[in-house]
Amino acid sequence: MTCKVLWVPAASGKGYFNELGSFFTHTDQVSQPDTDRGKDLTELCPQMHEHKQKNERAWQLTEILKDLNMNIIDVPCRIYENIKAVRTESELSLVTPESVMQFLKSHPADTKDSCNLESLPQDLEATSLKSIKSLKLLTEFCEMHATFGSELQSLPLALTESQRLHCFDAEISLFVTIYTDLFVRTPDEVLDRGISLMYTKYLEESDCIKDLDVTSLVCLTEKTFSRDVLHTGKPVQWDNSEDLPTKKWIFQFWDYLSHQMCSIKDGKTFDTHTFLAELEGWSLLPASIEKQGKSIPFLYPIRKGKCVIVDPDSHDKCATALKKMKVPILDVDLLHHSFQYCKNIIKVTSSLAAKMENHDEILKLLSDIDFSDSLHITAEDSLAVLEYFSVNIKKLSDLICEQPAQQLLRKLPFYQSMCGQQVALQDDNEVSAVEHYYDVPSDGFGELIRASCKVLIKKIVRCRGVFEKLCIKTLTREELYVQIILPNFECMPSSAQLLHLEFIRDVILPCMEDLGDVQPLKDELKKLRFIEAGEGLRQCASDFYSPSEEVFKQMCSTSAFPPPPYDEEKWKPFLETAGLTTDVSIGLYLTFAEDVEALGSTGITEDVSNKSKVLSSYLAKNHGRFKGHLSQIGKIQFVLPHTVGKDLTDIHPQLHEGKRLVAYCKSLHPDNCHCVWTSCSIFHENASPSLRGWILCTNHFSELGIRAKPDHSDVTRHLKNICRSFKELQDQNSVDSFSKLCPTMERVMESVYKHLKETGVRDWMKHELQDVCTVYIPEEECMVPASEVVTTIWPNEIVKGYVYAMPHTLTGFGQVLLGLGASEKAHANLYACVLEKLYKKTQSVKEKDLCTAEKAFCLLFQFIETQNKDNSATLDVPTLYLPDANWRLRDSCELVFIDNDSFSDRVQSLGLQYFLGFEQFPYLNRDPQTHISMLPERYQLKMLSFLAQEFVTDESKLKACPRELSQGYLDIIHDPDFVSAIVRLVIHTQFSNHNQSLDQTEARTMEEELRKLEIHEVENLQTVLRQNDGSQVPHSERKKSCMEEHFNAKVYLFIDNDIDTDGLCAALTSTICSLTSEGEISRCHINHLLKSDPETYKEYLDEQRVRTYNYECQLREDYSFPIPGRSIPEDMHWRLDNSFHDFDEWEYVGLEVYDPVVDTDAPDEEGKPEYVYALVKRILSKETLLVRGQYVVALENGHLETICGSRLYKIKSENTAIVELSQHELPEVKPRDLNTVLKEIRNILTETWKTSTSMEERRRVKKRLYLAWHPDKNIGNEDFCIKVCHYIQSYVTKLENGQSITKGGDVPADDTDSSFFEHMGRRSSHQRSQYQQHQDQRDTSYNRHHSAHPQPEEARRWLRQAKYDLRSARDTLQLDRDYNWVCFKALKAAEKAVTSAWYNRDARKAQSQRKKGIIKAASRLENVHLSELVTQLQNVVGDDDRMLFPDRLACPNIPADVYTENTARQACELAERVLNLAEDM
């Protein structure tokens, strides 16, 4: 086999580099193309075979393009990269959607390099594309071009339904539709169905394709069928004639129309007949007529669709009835069309036909039929028609062809009367329809109908809608009895009455009870007088009582019970339903209970006791019947009380002495006696519902008001009563009586504690009982409040007379005592309360209380410290009292703590009240300030350092300025390596203390904080103390070596010129710690870093085993300024803002030192302006005209000068674009108005010429105005600025000529000083060029390496060795051993790969970066993905020593033990990804 190779130029447009893989990112499984060239080229080009397997679609498209004669250049990536390196992208010819489209359009040209698709149109199989699959793949690729849809003209990709390939042509546009079967006679007018969907989205963009609309469909129909056959306006019998459409064509026809109509209908009002107006004359609506058992197909005119009825499955009976009437039925089976069911087609065709859902048309049709001779219509057919109208009754219009719908329905003779006849209803006035009439006894109906004057017909359930539409009252059997029979019951004879009552008893009532709707019948039965009593009178059932109830037997006579035959058992349920009184009503019960209450108000007699027992017993047995009224019963005092024993009344009397009837809602069970006998009534145990099983009905308990447990308020009052009584007995010193009561009191308190243990103690109870002595202390023989008791306490924590330990006898009730106010453990509040009690006793501590106060003071601070460590409850008392220097207790907020001893002799004039201090308490004197700081904020002592704060004097601040020493250390602090080291130290400290790390955002914030630091030197640094109101403390001046202050959102460290290196490093270390918000973060490490070379940072931190962290600080060239007085380089002059500004103190500005256009009369073309950095130290005056402001600025060595604002320049940030509109001076709403701008310029120039006679000052102002508005420095607003510059020239010329400038004179003049403004134009253009060059350097990924020295060959050597190391690691991994060596080799392979990348970038830095470690070396490559991979690898394997030496691991482990197969495999995978990424770089 041979392969033809064509050599073509790389940039001539005749050959195209193959980069199709970048367009097909996912591998697709695509079948082999139709040509056999792929196999041959695969064998000849293994690289192409590899590319094919990676991207099958790209490979297949390559073969298609080659078959079309496109010269595809397949070369290895490295060759293409070499060519690309010497050629720009515009010179290279690539395989892109745009180039492929241009190549395809070259097909008419008869040249060697043009597309070989010639002589179109022709069959697709005869072309080079061969198949539609290739055509679609080629089209999909061309679609990737952004303007594909608008560039279809002449593109040879148009395949029609006849399978012929055409060129797209706007003059012969093709239809784009999926309904290609409609073009059975004209297949070349429509795109092939297989590709039509691809072009749908381009219909609006191209004239080469068009959509199929209804008008086009009409034309297409006329081309396809004869008007003489299908446009006659009459139905056409449908057979297999060639002149008639096929079933498939009819389906496609209606499928298209339904799709069009549905898409238009969405959200719009739509009329189907209007839409089909152009087609309504065509007979294309399929229908069938039932004749002699056969279905004859017809095609009906669309305009006569209402002659056809839709036959849905849900109305099959009605359809059968209509078929008997020979009504045409829509041929729905045809529209199902073999494999699919199109709901929209059915919906559209049904909207044309008189579908069953269109009730108006069906009703009109049937109402016009004369049924007088229609003997063939059966009752079942009539029922089917009524059922149809019943289903659709809600859709029936009120007027149909100007006739009421009800009238048309009444004309239908389909209604069955009670006698079984079918009748119409038009002559009947009042009709009632009866449901389920078949079981109702017929006796007495004649008399009933005559008496009621109503006609009753049978109600067919399926036709309920019709009856409702006709407003026919529908009656169920129950309603028949309720509304007609029972109200007219007396019209029936007695024999019929008994029959109907038995029917109600045996049939109606059971049914209604099952349905749960028996109430209306009950109401009628309750009103019905059917029981004959004495003297022939009839009475209701409710006039009698049930003989089964014991209460009624005792309360009623025998005449109150029903007579025969209703006394039989079978009538009992019926009579109960009819209202027989079966139980004691709530009214009777309440009346009886109230009678008992009235009788018992004078005393509890035997009669009262018996009645109370009867009522209690009945209530317990029948409590469910009183649901909803139990609360009323519970409030009546008819229940017997419980009486307590003498042992309890000796402690405190019982409530009401137990001699009154009680109510359930105000009483408790006797079991709660010990907890409430003094505060709550208790009912008798025989009246307890629990004796009769009522205890389970907790809801009824709550309705009665019975409480399972006493209320907390009752228990609280009871506890107050018995504790105070017991305390009084104790104070009476009656030993005998007191000792007898102790066991009883112990049992009572145990019961109370048990209750409180179960229910808990509420906060308000604790407040109520806080002053009540609720705890007895046997050792002290006294009752004490619970707040003075501690359940678990050490002996040394007890303060005699103030703090007690819980008695051993109450061990099981610790939680109760805690709820009452006791403490689980001793805490600070206890001893704060002791100090408060001592303060209330005597503010100045007496000698006898001194020991108590000292012990309380010590324990207070001990527990504050403990609670802060445990994060437990903090101090919480109204006021904390602490001793002052004279042992006088005071509010802690009024005391001052000396936290800065150096201030104490500087504030003597303030007369402050000082805290006693901790000198007398050795245990607390270790760190006094820490103890004070642990106090909650509201108890904090006033800190001396807060009352008086230290500041640098204004004179020292004015003289302070950055110099060589301070700038050197500031450069160290701002160095990226130093910042990264500080971040690493902070992370190490946080992880050690809190086991958490920093995220990148927090690290970036820390870096920004370090950027805020500025260091200023001053000779003889002086400080002074100031109070909070800003006033100076007299005689507080002192000299210091360093001082830190925060203002202007920065941190300023002022240092004295005489400070030594150690002192300066110590001050910087302290400042850095405060900026990083970590306090004492490894001060020794920071001090060492400040004195070390940045190259040694990593090595030092590694030696100190500081935790590693991958963080690269964001370098910015404008984060700090040089020392004031230093010259501003010329290539940075673009950063000077020529607009006039006002300046703030401590702001860095540019100072104009010399400018040839200002300081000389004739500007020197070679002369360059000179600017220096300056620091604003004081604002002497701020003027409305910014150019006149006066400032004191610091220059070199702190030299101070007074400078006019016209010589000072705002220094712009590097990120600011070169735009200098005057909104910097006067911010206003954009866009600026020209008249407003000119007015501002006139004001500046006029004031300058008026107030200054210096030519230099005038030239300086006009120079700055011109540069500020020059179009080269106002990108995007050039036209506006050109106008402004012309006016500036005109104004300057007039002023120099002694003329005035007014609004009327705003016309550019011709006699301007062209040399000056031309010179300014060149300077502006030069600065813009400098700015653009600077921006280009910043935007270039290698801008920091513009002088790099790459060595590609050496890079390849390192990469090749890295690959061998990785392969060795994988070989070792296959041996299932030595996993630590696998990890070691993988890490070394990654290190060599990173070094290779450095050789490829800058060989001079490769080795130095390698020594810094793989993580730092990778981060400096500025590839985030590579840096993340390297960090992951390092975290997985650890450092080198851990993989090699046992001493890095805990004994007895060695590296071979701890490294697993999973770790080794993960290391190899990460290393391989690092190698691949380094190779791509």
Side-chain angles (χ1 to χ4, degrees), residues 1219-1374:
V1219 178
E1220 295 185 343
L1221 295 179
S1222 61
Q1223 60 263 31
H1224 296 301
E1225 179 182 353
L1226 296 172
E1228 292 188 10
V1229 179
K1230 298 181 181 179
R1232 298 294 305 277
D1233 176 64
L1234 180 61
N1235 293 330
T1236 304
V1237 173
L1238 294 178
K1239 181 179 179 182
E1240 296 171 1
I1241 294 174
R1242 287 197 304 271
N1243 291 340
I1244 294 174
L1245 290 173
T1246 301
E1247 185 67 21
T1248 301
W1249 255 256
K1250 179 180 178 181
T1251 59
S1252 176
T1253 59
S1254 170
M1255 295 302 297
E1256 290 82 1
E1257 182 67 14
R1258 293 179 177 182
R1259 284 195 289 263
R1260 182 178 295 111
V1261 171
K1262 71 178 183 179
K1263 173 199 73 170
R1264 293 188 63 168
L1265 283 174
Y1266 192 77
L1267 287 178
W1269 287 99
H1270 197 279
D1272 283 339
K1273 298 177 72 92
N1274 291 273
I1275 300 173
N1277 204 17
E1278 289 87 345
D1279 294 339
F1280 181 83
C1281 292
I1282 288 174
K1283 293 181 182 179
V1284 175
C1285 287
H1286 287 169
Y1287 277 100
I1288 293 174
Q1289 296 179 33
S1290 174
Y1291 292 154
V1292 171
T1293 301
K1294 289 183 178 182
L1295 289 172
E1296 290 178 347
N1297 292 334
Q1299 302 175 9
S1300 64
I1301 52 177
T1302 62
K1303 183 177 181 181
D1306 291 345
V1307 179
D1310 296 330
D1311 53 344
T1312 59
D1313 184 4
S1314 60
S1315 62
F1316 173 85
F1317 293 107
E1318 288 175 0
H1319 187 80
M1320 289 297 95
R1322 288 191 293 273
R1323 179 182 293 183
S1324 179
S1325 300
H1326 180 61
Q1327 289 184 5
R1328 176 173 178 175
S1329 175
Q1330 289 176 331
Y1331 167 77
Q1332 191 61 49
Q1333 180 180 0
H1334 184 81
Q1335 291 298 106
D1336 293 342
Q1337 291 177 355
R1338 291 188 63 181
D1339 295 340
T1340 304
S1341 59
Y1342 298 110
N1343 66 84
R1344 299 180 188 170
H1345 312 283
H1346 58 274
S1347 60
H1349 182 66
Q1351 292 184 2
E1353 291 298 328
E1354 186 67 15
R1356 282 191 286 273
R1357 289 181 64 229
W1358 281 85
L1359 186 62
R1360 189 154 55 92
Q1361 183 58 46
K1363 291 181 178 179
Y1364 277 108
D1365 290 352
L1366 181 59
R1367 186 172 66 183
S1368 175
R1370 290 196 178 279
D1371 292 342
T1372 307
L1373 181 62
Q1374 297 298 324

Side-chain angles (χ1 to χ4, degrees), residues 1051-1205:
V1051 179
Y1052 293 87
L1053 181 63
F1054 297 94
I1055 60 175
D1056 191 88
N1057 286 348
D1058 296 334
I1059 192 171
D1060 56 10
T1061 302
D1062 292 338
L1064 177 56
C1065 290
L1068 287 172
T1069 299
S1070 177
T1071 301
I1072 291 171
C1073 288
S1074 64
L1075 286 174
T1076 54
S1077 302
E1078 290 298 324
E1080 303 294 328
I1081 56 152
S1082 307
R1083 285 179 173 268
C1084 61
H1085 296 319
I1086 298 177
N1087 201 306
H1088 178 86
L1089 295 176
L1090 289 170
K1091 299 176 182 179
S1092 304
D1093 184 5
E1095 296 293 333
T1096 66
Y1097 290 168
K1098 180 181 182 302
E1099 181 180 356
Y1100 170 75
L1101 294 178
D1102 290 342
E1103 290 177 356
Q1104 300 300 319
R1105 297 189 177 184
V1106 176
R1107 186 178 183 85
T1108 60
Y1109 183 70
N1110 180 29
Y1111 174 73
E1112 185 72 17
C1113 73
Q1114 298 292 314
L1115 294 176
R1116 293 204 318 271
E1117 299 178 13
D1118 62 340
Y1119 65 80
S1120 64
F1121 295 97
I1123 298 174
R1126 296 288 175 87
S1127 176
I1128 301 177
E1130 183 188 0
D1131 60 355
M1132 284 292 150
H1133 285 183
W1134 60 269
R1135 293 183 64 183
L1136 300 177
D1137 190 350
N1138 288 284
S1139 301
F1140 295 109
H1141 298 271
D1142 54 3
F1143 303 96
D1144 299 322
E1145 292 184 355
W1146 300 94
E1147 179 180 0
Y1148 276 89
V1149 297
L1151 172 63
E1152 179 185 309
V1153 178
Y1154 169 77
D1155 193 332
V1157 301
V1158 174
D1159 299 322
T1160 60
D1161 294 333
D1164 183 8
E1165 291 291 338
E1166 301 298 330
K1168 304 294 183 182
E1170 296 181 8
Y1171 302 90
V1172 297
Y1173 291 101
L1175 180 62
V1176 177
K1177 301 306 294 285
R1178 181 172 295 174
I1179 302 172
L1180 297 180
S1181 66
K1182 281 192 176 183
E1183 303 290 341
T1184 304
L1185 195 65
L1186 301 179
V1187 69
R1188 309 310 306 161
Q1190 296 290 323
Y1191 303 89
V1192 176
V1193 299
L1195 298 175
E1196 191 170 6
N1197 295 324
H1199 174 67
L1200 301 177
E1201 284 191 17
T1202 301
I1203 303 296
C1204 180

Side-chain angles (χ1 to χ4, degrees), residues 946-1047:
F946 176 77
L947 298 176
Q949 300 179 21
E950 189 173 18
F951 296 92
V952 178
T953 62
D954 293 340
E955 182 180 1
S956 294
K957 284 184 179 179
L958 183 63
K959 296 179 181 179
C961 184
R963 300 184 184 180
E964 294 294 340
L965 176 63
S966 58
Q967 191 66 25
Y969 277 98
L970 192 62
D971 291 340
I972 293 175
I973 295 171
H974 289 169
D975 184 84
D977 292 331
F978 185 85
V979 174
S980 300
I982 293 298
V983 172
R984 184 175 170 184
L985 282 171
V986 172
I987 290 171
H988 179 79
T989 303
Q990 282 200 358
F991 196 85
S992 300
N993 296 339
H994 310 293
N995 197 24
Q996 62 182 16
S997 183
L998 290 178
D999 57 25
Q1000 291 288 332
T1001 302
E1002 294 173 320
R1004 193 78 62 226
T1005 302
M1006 190 178 302
E1007 176 186 347
E1008 293 299 328
E1009 290 297 320
L1010 291 175
R1011 301 293 187 225
K1012 295 178 181 179
L1013 176 62
E1014 289 194 15
I1015 308 174
H1016 292 250
E1017 299 180 49
V1018 63
E1019 183 177 358
N1020 190 24
L1021 176 62
Q1022 293 285 331
T1023 65
V1024 67
L1025 297 183
R1026 297 183 186 277
Q1027 299 185 63
N1028 292 332
D1029 59 0
S1031 61
Q1032 181 176 332
V1033 178
H1035 314 296
S1036 61
E1037 297 84 355
R1038 292 291 187 276
K1039 179 179 179 180
K1040 295 194 69 173
S1041 60
C1042 63
M1043 180 66 189
E1044 176 185 324
E1045 284 196 24
H1046 297 250
F1047 55 89

